[in-house]
Amino acid sequence: MERTLVILKPAALQRELVGEILSRFERKGLYFVGMKMMQLNDALLNEHYGHLKEKSFFGDVKAAMSASPVIVLCLEGVEAVRVVRAMAGVTNGRNAEPGTIRGDYSMSVEQNVIHASDSIETAEVEIKRFFKEEELFDSKRVGGSFYYAKYE
Ligand code: UDP
Ligand code: MG
């Protein structure tokens, strides 16, 4: 199984889309193995968006990503990197296919609601960037009932 990194960007939190987006991943069958809220800082963003540092929009994208807290997720599943990237849609929300997250919730190239790792190699680096080892959990389901206490 693969693991991939997703960031629910400030736009997702500010526009109150968190529940809907999490629900898509959950319904799809991806396991949540890590999830936390954090405020991204300049150092982390310089690293995360290092491939964009020569672009004219580098400052803008960093400002957009630090405008409010974000939620970072580590998702697990067979071919999770490719599957989640497909669920995200292409970068520009206006070009993303309806049915994808960006296609359904974004009209913008910058404010495109989520980040998703673009390759297995990138995913490995990005997961380490955002999660400590002890913040990632086993995806294996445990036995027992989660509907009632044993005395009910
Ligand atoms: N971005 C932008 N303007 C652009 C291209 C990208 O503001 O012309 C932002 C956008 O938020 C995107 C992020 O920079 O998600 C990272 O860009 P990348 O090319 O890695 O796209 P992604 O992998 O997110 O689809
Ligand atoms: Mg990218």
mmCIF file of all heavy atoms in Angstrom, residues 2-5 81 117-129:
data_model
loop_
_atom_site.group_PDB
_atom_site.id
_atom_site.type_symbol
_atom_site.label_atom_id
_atom_site.label_comp_id
_atom_site.label_asym_id
_atom_site.label_seq_id
_atom_site.Cartn_x
_atom_site.Cartn_y
_atom_site.Cartn_z
ATOM 1 N N GLU A 2 0.364 2.283 -0.609
ATOM 2 C CA GLU A 2 1.084 3.549 -0.656
ATOM 3 C C GLU A 2 0.495 4.545 0.329
ATOM 4 O O GLU A 2 -0.684 4.458 0.685
ATOM 5 C CB GLU A 2 0.903 4.170 -2.050
ATOM 6 C CG GLU A 2 1.832 3.651 -3.102
ATOM 7 C CD GLU A 2 1.474 4.169 -4.486
ATOM 8 O OE1 GLU A 2 0.880 5.261 -4.629
ATOM 9 O OE2 GLU A 2 1.783 3.437 -5.437
ATOM 10 N N ARG A 3 1.314 5.511 0.681
ATOM 11 C CA ARG A 3 0.825 6.643 1.469
ATOM 12 C C ARG A 3 1.051 7.927 0.686
ATOM 13 O O ARG A 3 2.047 8.039 -0.041
ATOM 14 C CB ARG A 3 1.566 6.714 2.808
ATOM 15 C CG ARG A 3 1.142 5.594 3.744
ATOM 16 C CD ARG A 3 1.852 5.662 5.072
ATOM 17 N NE ARG A 3 1.253 4.730 6.014
ATOM 18 C CZ ARG A 3 1.575 4.634 7.296
ATOM 19 N NH1 ARG A 3 2.502 5.420 7.807
ATOM 20 N NH2 ARG A 3 0.967 3.765 8.081
ATOM 21 N N THR A 4 0.148 8.867 0.845
ATOM 22 C CA THR A 4 0.281 10.156 0.158
ATOM 23 C C THR A 4 -0.074 11.292 1.102
ATOM 24 O O THR A 4 -0.750 11.082 2.118
ATOM 25 C CB THR A 4 -0.586 10.185 -1.127
ATOM 26 O OG1 THR A 4 -0.256 11.338 -1.900
ATOM 27 C CG2 THR A 4 -2.077 10.185 -0.820
ATOM 28 N N LEU A 5 0.403 12.475 0.778
ATOM 29 C CA LEU A 5 0.123 13.643 1.616
ATOM 30 C C LEU A 5 -0.889 14.569 0.933
ATOM 31 O O LEU A 5 -0.756 14.883 -0.252
ATOM 32 C CB LEU A 5 1.409 14.442 1.880
ATOM 33 C CG LEU A 5 1.122 15.611 2.818
ATOM 34 C CD1 LEU A 5 1.446 15.236 4.247
ATOM 35 C CD2 LEU A 5 1.828 16.878 2.418
ATOM 36 N N VAL A 81 -1.253 7.436 -4.226
ATOM 37 C CA VAL A 81 -0.728 8.698 -4.773
ATOM 38 C C VAL A 81 -1.477 9.067 -6.052
ATOM 39 O O VAL A 81 -2.006 10.180 -6.195
ATOM 40 C CB VAL A 81 0.797 8.604 -5.039
ATOM 41 C CG1 VAL A 81 1.299 9.856 -5.743
ATOM 42 C CG2 VAL A 81 1.550 8.366 -3.733
ATOM 43 N N SER A 117 0.245 15.094 -3.130
ATOM 44 C CA SER A 117 1.581 14.694 -3.621
ATOM 45 C C SER A 117 1.481 14.218 -5.066
ATOM 46 O O SER A 117 0.525 13.532 -5.434
ATOM 47 C CB SER A 117 2.151 13.548 -2.782
ATOM 48 O OG SER A 117 2.205 13.885 -1.433
ATOM 49 N N ASP A 118 2.518 14.561 -5.871
ATOM 50 C CA ASP A 118 2.407 14.255 -7.306
ATOM 51 C C ASP A 118 3.145 12.986 -7.740
ATOM 52 O O ASP A 118 3.067 12.601 -8.904
ATOM 53 C CB ASP A 118 2.854 15.466 -8.139
ATOM 54 C CG ASP A 118 4.317 15.824 -7.932
ATOM 55 O OD1 ASP A 118 5.055 15.076 -7.264
ATOM 56 O OD2 ASP A 118 4.724 16.882 -8.461
ATOM 57 N N SER A 119 3.896 12.336 -6.848
ATOM 58 C CA SER A 119 4.561 11.072 -7.204
ATOM 59 C C SER A 119 4.868 10.319 -5.914
ATOM 60 O O SER A 119 4.819 10.903 -4.825
ATOM 61 C CB SER A 119 5.865 11.328 -7.968
ATOM 62 O OG SER A 119 6.828 11.886 -7.085
ATOM 63 N N ILE A 120 5.205 9.054 -6.056
ATOM 64 C CA ILE A 120 5.533 8.231 -4.875
ATOM 65 C C ILE A 120 6.739 8.821 -4.148
ATOM 66 O O ILE A 120 6.748 8.920 -2.915
ATOM 67 C CB ILE A 120 5.794 6.759 -5.301
ATOM 68 C CG1 ILE A 120 4.490 6.140 -5.840
ATOM 69 C CG2 ILE A 120 6.335 5.933 -4.140
ATOM 70 C CD1 ILE A 120 4.648 4.756 -6.442
ATOM 71 N N GLU A 121 7.735 9.271 -4.916
ATOM 72 C CA GLU A 121 8.951 9.837 -4.313
ATOM 73 C C GLU A 121 8.615 11.131 -3.562
ATOM 74 O O GLU A 121 9.062 11.340 -2.441
ATOM 75 C CB GLU A 121 10.013 10.151 -5.393
ATOM 76 C CG GLU A 121 10.531 8.929 -6.155
ATOM 77 C CD GLU A 121 9.516 8.300 -7.121
ATOM 78 O OE1 GLU A 121 8.703 9.045 -7.718
ATOM 79 O OE2 GLU A 121 9.523 7.061 -7.276
ATOM 80 N N THR A 122 7.830 11.993 -4.191
ATOM 81 C CA THR A 122 7.437 13.254 -3.547
ATOM 82 C C THR A 122 6.628 12.973 -2.285
ATOM 83 O O THR A 122 6.801 13.633 -1.263
ATOM 84 C CB THR A 122 6.577 14.116 -4.508
ATOM 85 O OG1 THR A 122 7.189 14.145 -5.774
ATOM 86 C CG2 THR A 122 6.393 15.529 -3.998
ATOM 87 N N ALA A 123 5.741 12.001 -2.369
ATOM 88 C CA ALA A 123 4.885 11.675 -1.222
ATOM 89 C C ALA A 123 5.736 11.302 -0.007
ATOM 90 O O ALA A 123 5.479 11.769 1.107
ATOM 91 C CB ALA A 123 3.931 10.538 -1.575
ATOM 92 N N GLU A 124 6.769 10.488 -0.238
ATOM 93 C CA GLU A 124 7.645 10.076 0.878
ATOM 94 C C GLU A 124 8.285 11.274 1.550
ATOM 95 O O GLU A 124 8.294 11.387 2.772
ATOM 96 C CB GLU A 124 8.750 9.149 0.353
ATOM 97 C CG GLU A 124 8.408 7.683 0.532
ATOM 98 C CD GLU A 124 9.483 6.780 -0.040
ATOM 99 O OE1 GLU A 124 10.675 7.035 0.200
ATOM 100 O OE2 GLU A 124 9.100 5.833 -0.757
ATOM 101 N N VAL A 125 8.798 12.185 0.727
ATOM 102 C CA VAL A 125 9.453 13.387 1.261
ATOM 103 C C VAL A 125 8.425 14.272 1.974
ATOM 104 O O VAL A 125 8.668 14.770 3.075
ATOM 105 C CB VAL A 125 10.135 14.171 0.103
ATOM 106 C CG1 VAL A 125 10.662 15.512 0.574
ATOM 107 C CG2 VAL A 125 11.230 13.336 -0.532
ATOM 108 N N GLU A 126 7.253 14.435 1.367
ATOM 109 C CA GLU A 126 6.243 15.342 1.933
ATOM 110 C C GLU A 126 5.651 14.805 3.235
ATOM 111 O O GLU A 126 5.369 15.572 4.153
ATOM 112 C CB GLU A 126 5.141 15.597 0.895
ATOM 113 C CG GLU A 126 5.661 16.430 -0.275
ATOM 114 C CD GLU A 126 4.599 16.808 -1.302
ATOM 115 O OE1 GLU A 126 3.509 16.195 -1.308
ATOM 116 O OE2 GLU A 126 4.862 17.708 -2.103
ATOM 117 N N ILE A 127 5.459 13.501 3.307
ATOM 118 C CA ILE A 127 4.916 12.921 4.551
ATOM 119 C C ILE A 127 5.899 13.187 5.695
ATOM 120 O O ILE A 127 5.503 13.618 6.781
ATOM 121 C CB ILE A 127 4.609 11.422 4.383
ATOM 122 C CG1 ILE A 127 3.428 11.245 3.428
ATOM 123 C CG2 ILE A 127 4.311 10.758 5.740
ATOM 124 C CD1 ILE A 127 3.265 9.828 2.880
ATOM 125 N N LYS A 128 7.180 12.980 5.430
ATOM 126 C CA LYS A 128 8.218 13.248 6.462
ATOM 127 C C LYS A 128 8.276 14.733 6.812
ATOM 128 O O LYS A 128 8.582 15.098 7.937
ATOM 129 C CB LYS A 128 9.592 12.786 5.982
ATOM 130 C CG LYS A 128 9.752 11.278 5.974
ATOM 131 C CD LYS A 128 11.234 10.895 6.052
ATOM 132 C CE LYS A 128 11.413 9.390 6.057
ATOM 133 N NZ LYS A 128 11.297 8.806 4.682
ATOM 134 N N ARG A 129 8.007 15.571 5.821
ATOM 135 C CA ARG A 129 8.060 17.012 6.052
ATOM 136 C C ARG A 129 6.990 17.450 7.052
ATOM 137 O O ARG A 129 7.196 18.342 7.851
ATOM 138 C CB ARG A 129 7.873 17.744 4.709
ATOM 139 C CG ARG A 129 7.861 19.261 4.791
ATOM 140 C CD ARG A 129 7.784 19.881 3.402
ATOM 141 N NE ARG A 129 8.961 19.515 2.614
ATOM 142 C CZ ARG A 129 8.956 19.319 1.289
ATOM 143 N NH1 ARG A 129 7.845 19.476 0.599
ATOM 144 N NH2 ARG A 129 10.061 18.972 0.665
#
